[in-house]
Every structure is written in structure tokens, then in C-alpha cells.
Amino acid sequence: MEWRPYRLTGHGTRPGTIGTTGTVLPGKTFPCAYCKGTGIQVHMRSQCPVCRGKGFNEVSSAVVCAFCRGSGEAQPRSHITCPACRGKGVIGVKEPIEKCDVCRGLGRVTGSQLPCLKCKGAGVFTVKKR
Ligand SMILES: [Zn+2]
Ligand SMILES: [Zn+2]
Ligand SMILES: [Zn+2]
């Protein structure tokens, strides 16, 4: 199977439509959302605190963070790391997963600035085996 690197910020992709939330992404390494894969925290001109300068993060069984939609920021251009994914843009999950019924997969409840309590911003939650 051809491995295609997952891009958080593909060309021609409108902000807010990055990636597909609610599905486990292929691969285990993902470009760091917070520094856009550069390893440098641009506005501080220092090493990216999220990936520690590597430019990527290793997450097994990752889904796009529904809370920030993969931007890694709590608010667009806020330079505050997303509270749900801590700036990675992706969140590690354990399969099997199911779309969160509390936030309807959005990672947040309308009117709240905090990640959804049930899925913690991932938009999906691990289905517990009975
Ligand atoms: Zn980074
Ligand atoms: Zn996030
Ligand atoms: Zn939720």
C-alpha cells in the first residue's frame, strides 16, 4: 500500500477544512501543526515547544483534533496551543472509536471555549468493550 504523508496544511485547503475529523489517520508521524512542521515557533523565534524542534510528532492511532481542526492553536492566530491536542493537531486514540454524541464530533460544545468533556476535543471517543 502506498504511504501518503498526511498533510495538515495542504495547498488549496481552506482553514477549517483541514483533514477529516473522526477517522484514524494512516501513519504514525505527523507534521507538527503548531510550527507547521518547521520546528520553530515563529513568533517567538525559538524552538517549537510542541515537537521540540523536530517538526513532527509521533502519535499512533491519531485522529485530527476536532477542537482546533488540526491547526494546533486554541484560536486561529492566537499562538496558544490547543488544549485538546497540545498543539500537535492530532490526538492519539484507542480503537475502536465512535463519533462523540455530546459534541457531534466537533470537539466542543457550542458556546464553550473548552474541549468537550466526553471526547476531550478529539470528536471521537474510545468504545469500551463490555
Ligand atoms: Zn512544532
Ligand atoms: Zn487541537
Ligand atoms: Zn465530544
Side-chain angles (χ1 to χ4, degrees), residues 14-31:
R14 279 185 293 124
T17 57
I18 312 157
T20 314
T21 55
T23 47
V24 175
L25 303 161
K28 278 187 168 41
T29 54
F30 305 95

PDB file of all heavy atoms in Angstrom, residues 14-31:
ATOM      1  N   ARG A  14      -8.674  25.126   2.599  1.00  0.00           N
ATOM      2  CA  ARG A  14      -9.141  26.271   3.369  1.00  0.00           C
ATOM      3  C   ARG A  14      -9.006  25.977   4.862  1.00  0.00           C
ATOM      4  O   ARG A  14      -9.260  24.851   5.286  1.00  0.00           O
ATOM      5  CB  ARG A  14     -10.600  26.578   3.053  1.00  0.00           C
ATOM      6  CG  ARG A  14     -10.758  27.377   1.779  1.00  0.00           C
ATOM      7  CD  ARG A  14     -12.203  27.760   1.574  1.00  0.00           C
ATOM      8  NE  ARG A  14     -13.050  26.597   1.303  1.00  0.00           N
ATOM      9  CZ  ARG A  14     -14.109  26.273   2.015  1.00  0.00           C
ATOM     10  NH1 ARG A  14     -14.466  26.999   3.044  1.00  0.00           N
ATOM     11  NH2 ARG A  14     -14.833  25.232   1.696  1.00  0.00           N
ATOM     12  N   PRO A  15      -8.623  26.983   5.635  1.00  0.00           N
ATOM     13  CA  PRO A  15      -8.592  26.766   7.090  1.00  0.00           C
ATOM     14  C   PRO A  15      -9.966  26.333   7.576  1.00  0.00           C
ATOM     15  O   PRO A  15     -10.982  26.857   7.104  1.00  0.00           O
ATOM     16  CB  PRO A  15      -8.224  28.133   7.660  1.00  0.00           C
ATOM     17  CG  PRO A  15      -7.618  28.881   6.514  1.00  0.00           C
ATOM     18  CD  PRO A  15      -8.262  28.339   5.277  1.00  0.00           C
ATOM     19  N   GLY A  16      -9.966  25.392   8.469  1.00  0.00           N
ATOM     20  CA  GLY A  16     -11.254  24.912   8.956  1.00  0.00           C
ATOM     21  C   GLY A  16     -11.726  23.684   8.209  1.00  0.00           C
ATOM     22  O   GLY A  16     -12.677  23.041   8.610  1.00  0.00           O
ATOM     23  N   THR A  17     -11.047  23.359   7.130  1.00  0.00           N
ATOM     24  CA  THR A  17     -11.420  22.145   6.413  1.00  0.00           C
ATOM     25  C   THR A  17     -10.212  21.220   6.307  1.00  0.00           C
ATOM     26  O   THR A  17     -10.100  20.427   5.400  1.00  0.00           O
ATOM     27  CB  THR A  17     -11.940  22.467   5.000  1.00  0.00           C
ATOM     28  OG1 THR A  17     -10.936  23.207   4.294  1.00  0.00           O
ATOM     29  CG2 THR A  17     -13.208  23.266   5.045  1.00  0.00           C
ATOM     30  N   ILE A  18      -9.290  21.394   7.235  1.00  0.00           N
ATOM     31  CA  ILE A  18      -8.058  20.611   7.183  1.00  0.00           C
ATOM     32  C   ILE A  18      -8.324  19.200   7.671  1.00  0.00           C
ATOM     33  O   ILE A  18      -8.790  19.000   8.776  1.00  0.00           O
ATOM     34  CB  ILE A  18      -6.978  21.247   8.070  1.00  0.00           C
ATOM     35  CG1 ILE A  18      -6.897  22.750   7.791  1.00  0.00           C
ATOM     36  CG2 ILE A  18      -5.631  20.587   7.831  1.00  0.00           C
ATOM     37  CD1 ILE A  18      -6.301  23.541   8.937  1.00  0.00           C
ATOM     38  N   GLY A  19      -7.988  18.269   6.833  1.00  0.00           N
ATOM     39  CA  GLY A  19      -8.099  16.878   7.230  1.00  0.00           C
ATOM     40  C   GLY A  19      -9.536  16.459   7.471  1.00  0.00           C
ATOM     41  O   GLY A  19     -10.469  17.234   7.321  1.00  0.00           O
ATOM     42  N   THR A  20      -9.702  15.237   7.836  1.00  0.00           N
ATOM     43  CA  THR A  20     -11.020  14.707   8.128  1.00  0.00           C
ATOM     44  C   THR A  20     -11.045  14.292   9.590  1.00  0.00           C
ATOM     45  O   THR A  20     -10.239  13.471  10.001  1.00  0.00           O
ATOM     46  CB  THR A  20     -11.322  13.482   7.238  1.00  0.00           C
ATOM     47  OG1 THR A  20     -10.950  13.794   5.905  1.00  0.00           O
ATOM     48  CG2 THR A  20     -12.779  13.112   7.295  1.00  0.00           C
ATOM     49  N   THR A  21     -11.931  14.882  10.327  1.00  0.00           N
ATOM     50  CA  THR A  21     -12.026  14.508  11.724  1.00  0.00           C
ATOM     51  C   THR A  21     -12.852  13.235  11.852  1.00  0.00           C
ATOM     52  O   THR A  21     -13.673  12.931  10.987  1.00  0.00           O
ATOM     53  CB  THR A  21     -12.682  15.632  12.558  1.00  0.00           C
ATOM     54  OG1 THR A  21     -13.938  15.939  11.983  1.00  0.00           O
ATOM     55  CG2 THR A  21     -11.807  16.868  12.598  1.00  0.00           C
ATOM     56  N   GLY A  22     -12.613  12.507  12.913  1.00  0.00           N
ATOM     57  CA  GLY A  22     -13.435  11.343  13.208  1.00  0.00           C
ATOM     58  C   GLY A  22     -12.936  10.042  12.613  1.00  0.00           C
ATOM     59  O   GLY A  22     -13.549   9.012  12.810  1.00  0.00           O
ATOM     60  N   THR A  23     -11.832  10.075  11.860  1.00  0.00           N
ATOM     61  CA  THR A  23     -11.281   8.831  11.330  1.00  0.00           C
ATOM     62  C   THR A  23      -9.812   8.732  11.706  1.00  0.00           C
ATOM     63  O   THR A  23      -9.101   9.733  11.751  1.00  0.00           O
ATOM     64  CB  THR A  23     -11.409   8.761   9.790  1.00  0.00           C
ATOM     65  OG1 THR A  23     -10.977   9.991   9.232  1.00  0.00           O
ATOM     66  CG2 THR A  23     -12.824   8.481   9.362  1.00  0.00           C
ATOM     67  N   VAL A  24      -9.369   7.537  11.976  1.00  0.00           N
ATOM     68  CA  VAL A  24      -7.969   7.315  12.326  1.00  0.00           C
ATOM     69  C   VAL A  24      -7.118   7.502  11.072  1.00  0.00           C
ATOM     70  O   VAL A  24      -7.423   6.984  10.002  1.00  0.00           O
ATOM     71  CB  VAL A  24      -7.772   5.902  12.920  1.00  0.00           C
ATOM     72  CG1 VAL A  24      -6.296   5.616  13.165  1.00  0.00           C
ATOM     73  CG2 VAL A  24      -8.544   5.779  14.224  1.00  0.00           C
ATOM     74  N   LEU A  25      -6.069   8.299  11.226  1.00  0.00           N
ATOM     75  CA  LEU A  25      -5.212   8.635  10.098  1.00  0.00           C
ATOM     76  C   LEU A  25      -4.152   7.562   9.887  1.00  0.00           C
ATOM     77  O   LEU A  25      -3.680   6.955  10.839  1.00  0.00           O
ATOM     78  CB  LEU A  25      -4.529   9.975  10.374  1.00  0.00           C
ATOM     79  CG  LEU A  25      -5.458  11.142  10.658  1.00  0.00           C
ATOM     80  CD1 LEU A  25      -4.697  12.240  11.364  1.00  0.00           C
ATOM     81  CD2 LEU A  25      -6.069  11.654   9.383  1.00  0.00           C
ATOM     82  N   PRO A  26      -3.764   7.359   8.637  1.00  0.00           N
ATOM     83  CA  PRO A  26      -2.683   6.401   8.390  1.00  0.00           C
ATOM     84  C   PRO A  26      -1.341   6.996   8.807  1.00  0.00           C
ATOM     85  O   PRO A  26      -1.155   8.203   8.794  1.00  0.00           O
ATOM     86  CB  PRO A  26      -2.757   6.180   6.875  1.00  0.00           C
ATOM     87  CG  PRO A  26      -3.376   7.417   6.327  1.00  0.00           C
ATOM     88  CD  PRO A  26      -4.275   7.963   7.412  1.00  0.00           C
ATOM     89  N   GLY A  27      -0.435   6.148   9.174  1.00  0.00           N
ATOM     90  CA  GLY A  27       0.895   6.622   9.555  1.00  0.00           C
ATOM     91  C   GLY A  27       0.994   6.926  11.028  1.00  0.00           C
ATOM     92  O   GLY A  27      -0.011   6.936  11.747  1.00  0.00           O
ATOM     93  N   LYS A  28       2.204   7.160  11.477  1.00  0.00           N
ATOM     94  CA  LYS A  28       2.444   7.413  12.903  1.00  0.00           C
ATOM     95  C   LYS A  28       3.144   8.738  13.164  1.00  0.00           C
ATOM     96  O   LYS A  28       3.205   9.205  14.291  1.00  0.00           O
ATOM     97  CB  LYS A  28       3.285   6.281  13.480  1.00  0.00           C
ATOM     98  CG  LYS A  28       2.465   5.051  13.846  1.00  0.00           C
ATOM     99  CD  LYS A  28       3.342   4.046  14.555  1.00  0.00           C
ATOM    100  CE  LYS A  28       2.567   2.930  15.208  1.00  0.00           C
ATOM    101  NZ  LYS A  28       1.450   2.373  14.486  1.00  0.00           N
ATOM    102  N   THR A  29       3.682   9.349  12.127  1.00  0.00           N
ATOM    103  CA  THR A  29       4.309  10.656  12.311  1.00  0.00           C
ATOM    104  C   THR A  29       3.536  11.699  11.521  1.00  0.00           C
ATOM    105  O   THR A  29       3.129  11.466  10.389  1.00  0.00           O
ATOM    106  CB  THR A  29       5.783  10.652  11.849  1.00  0.00           C
ATOM    107  OG1 THR A  29       5.848  10.187  10.517  1.00  0.00           O
ATOM    108  CG2 THR A  29       6.649   9.805  12.760  1.00  0.00           C
ATOM    109  N   PHE A  30       3.349  12.830  12.168  1.00  0.00           N
ATOM    110  CA  PHE A  30       2.545  13.884  11.568  1.00  0.00           C
ATOM    111  C   PHE A  30       3.267  15.216  11.697  1.00  0.00           C
ATOM    112  O   PHE A  30       3.832  15.507  12.754  1.00  0.00           O
ATOM    113  CB  PHE A  30       1.183  13.960  12.256  1.00  0.00           C
ATOM    114  CG  PHE A  30       0.469  12.645  12.246  1.00  0.00           C
ATOM    115  CD1 PHE A  30       0.559  11.792  13.335  1.00  0.00           C
ATOM    116  CD2 PHE A  30      -0.249  12.248  11.134  1.00  0.00           C
ATOM    117  CE1 PHE A  30      -0.072  10.560  13.320  1.00  0.00           C
ATOM    118  CE2 PHE A  30      -0.877  11.023  11.116  1.00  0.00           C
ATOM    119  CZ  PHE A  30      -0.789  10.176  12.209  1.00  0.00           C
ATOM    120  N   PRO A  31       3.256  16.014  10.627  1.00  0.00           N
ATOM    121  CA  PRO A  31       3.897  17.318  10.727  1.00  0.00           C
ATOM    122  C   PRO A  31       3.306  18.100  11.891  1.00  0.00           C
ATOM    123  O   PRO A  31       2.103  18.096  12.091  1.00  0.00           O
ATOM    124  CB  PRO A  31       3.563  17.989   9.385  1.00  0.00           C
ATOM    125  CG  PRO A  31       3.172  16.893   8.461  1.00  0.00           C
ATOM    126  CD  PRO A  31       2.598  15.809   9.331  1.00  0.00           C
TER     127      PRO A  31
END
